[in-house]
């Protein structure tokens, strides 16, 4: 199963913005929503093609409310994600899976001390302390894989990292 993850702009509540609008709510209605990171939504699709199609359907909302649209395809990597552009190139046959790993950005993952506010949980006055904390993506480090190895994330002390494979044009300033 291919995963799609939308990471919200820091100025908006992504779940609220996507589920409060009819078109995006209908596009997401057939999926089970997950919240893997702070201010992020993820779904599972059947293929890279379905993932790219969903992102295309949500394009208007992605432009306004989303910082990152990521795709994770197990046939490419079980642990690394693809940028939206790279996923589209892979789907279109412009690249092979083995040609996707050179250019990357590595996000630090920090644990938030505050439980994530859930504006759409349907419970009046629910206790914030019972809500889970989710890791927050912080400060990406742009790197190039050499000899099959990625450099270590060294921008700050973090609990873990998330690797996103990029197209060469996304990597180049």
């Amino acid at each position: 199963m291919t995963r799609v993850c939308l990471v919200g702009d820091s100025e908006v509540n992504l779940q609220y913005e996507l589920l409060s609008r009819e078109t995006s709510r209908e596009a997401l209605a057939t999926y089970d929503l997950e919240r893997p990171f702070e201010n992020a939504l993820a779904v599972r699709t059947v293929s890279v093609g379905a993932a790219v199609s969903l992102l295309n359907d949500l394009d208007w909302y992605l432009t306004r409310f989303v910082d990152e649209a990521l795709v994770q395809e197990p046939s490419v990597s079980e642990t690394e994600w693809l940028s939206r552009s790279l996923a589209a190139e892979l789907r279109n046959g412009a690249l092979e899976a083995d040609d996707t790993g050179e250019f990357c950005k590595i996000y630090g993952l920090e644990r938030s001390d505050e439980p994530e506010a859930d504006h759409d949980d349907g419970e009046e006055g629910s206790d914030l302390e019972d809500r889970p904390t989710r890791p927050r993506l912080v400060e990406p480090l742009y790197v190039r894989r050499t000899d099959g190895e990625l450099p270590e994330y060294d921008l700050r002390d973090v609990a873990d990292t998330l690797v996103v494979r990029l197209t060469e044009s996304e990597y180049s300033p």
Side-chain angles (χ1 to χ4, degrees):
M1 292 288 246
T2 303
R3 291 179 70 198
V4 173
C5 183
L6 306 175
V7 180
D9 181 296
S10 62
E11 304 297 315
V12 300
N13 178 311
L14 182 63
Q15 182 171 352
Y16 171 80
E17 296 298 346
L18 291 178
L19 299 181
S20 69
R21 290 171 167 77
E22 185 177 1
T23 304
S24 59
R25 185 174 55 246
E26 286 178 7
L28 294 168
T30 59
Y31 300 99
D32 291 328
L33 299 178
E34 301 169 19
R35 295 172 66 192
F37 309 111
E38 189 175 280
N39 200 27
L41 289 177
V43 299
R44 294 184 188 279
T45 66
V46 296
S47 66
V48 171
V52 171
S53 291
L54 174 63
L55 293 172
N56 290 342
D57 289 347
L58 294 172
D59 192 56
W60 188 89
Y61 306 97
L62 300 183
T63 302
R64 286 155 184 79
F65 307 123
V66 172
D67 272 345
E68 288 285 342
L70 307 173
V71 175
Q72 188 176 46
E73 170 53 40
S75 68
V76 175
S77 173
E78 293 284 337
T79 58
E80 296 180 357
W81 293 77
L82 309 172
S83 69
R84 178 183 180 186
S85 297
L86 190 61
E89 286 190 16
L90 191 62
R91 185 227 24 207
N92 295 339
L95 284 175
E96 294 296 322
D98 292 341
D99 300 329
T100 64
E102 183 177 356
F103 305 103
C104 300
K105 70 176 160 182
I106 303 172
Y107 280 99
L109 290 175
E110 278 187 345
R111 282 266 174 218
S112 174
D113 294 334
E114 295 294 318
E116 187 175 14
D118 190 351
H119 297 283
D120 199 33
D121 64 6
E123 294 179 34
E124 276 299 311
S126 64
D127 191 329
L128 274 178
E129 304 216 359
D130 292 338
R131 295 186 184 155
T133 59
R134 291 183 174 80
R136 172 181 45 239
L137 298 175
V138 295
E139 223 173 344
L141 173 67
Y142 288 79
V143 298
R144 196 167 185 173
R145 193 180 312 257
T146 53
D147 297 326
E149 298 293 320
L150 285 173
E152 297 248 348
Y153 182 86
D154 62 1
L155 297 179
R156 63 167 81 180
D157 225 8
V158 293
D160 205 357
T161 58
L162 178 109
V163 176
V164 179
R165 295 179 181 199
L166 306 171
T167 64
E168 185 174 2
S169 63
E170 290 173 308
Y171 176 80
S172 303

